[in-house]
Amino acid sequence: MGWVLIAACLWVVASAVVAFLPIRYQIMPGLTLLIVAPVLLYALAVTHGVGMALAGLFAVLSMYRRPLIYLARKMRGALK
């Protein structure tokens, strides 16, 4: 198992731990994990192939579904 796959597993565990925190303590660690996700997905694609990166993308989208929907609406201008 490569270091990238171990880092991806640790990312999942860290995201699950952040989800258990009260909402006021979730913002900064959650944002940090969301910013690190594309770098980790790229590294997964390079080292383990596109299939593993798609599985990682599915994990990111399922865990950060609500924040990503909020950001998409904010970028479109639907929220004021």
Side-chain angles (χ1 to χ4, degrees), residues 34-60:
L34 192 58
I35 290 170
V36 169
V39 175
L40 193 56
L41 290 173
Y42 176 75
L44 271 173
V46 169
T47 58
H48 293 286
V50 177
M52 192 65 78
L54 288 175
L57 179 64
F58 179 73
V60 170

Side-chain angles (χ1 to χ4, degrees), residues 64-80:
Y64 286 90
R65 176 181 62 245
R66 297 285 183 179
L68 291 173
I69 290 171
Y70 174 80
L71 288 174
R73 286 183 180 167
K74 187 139 180 114
M75 291 174 95
R76 279 190 312 188
L79 299 175
K80 298 204 181 204

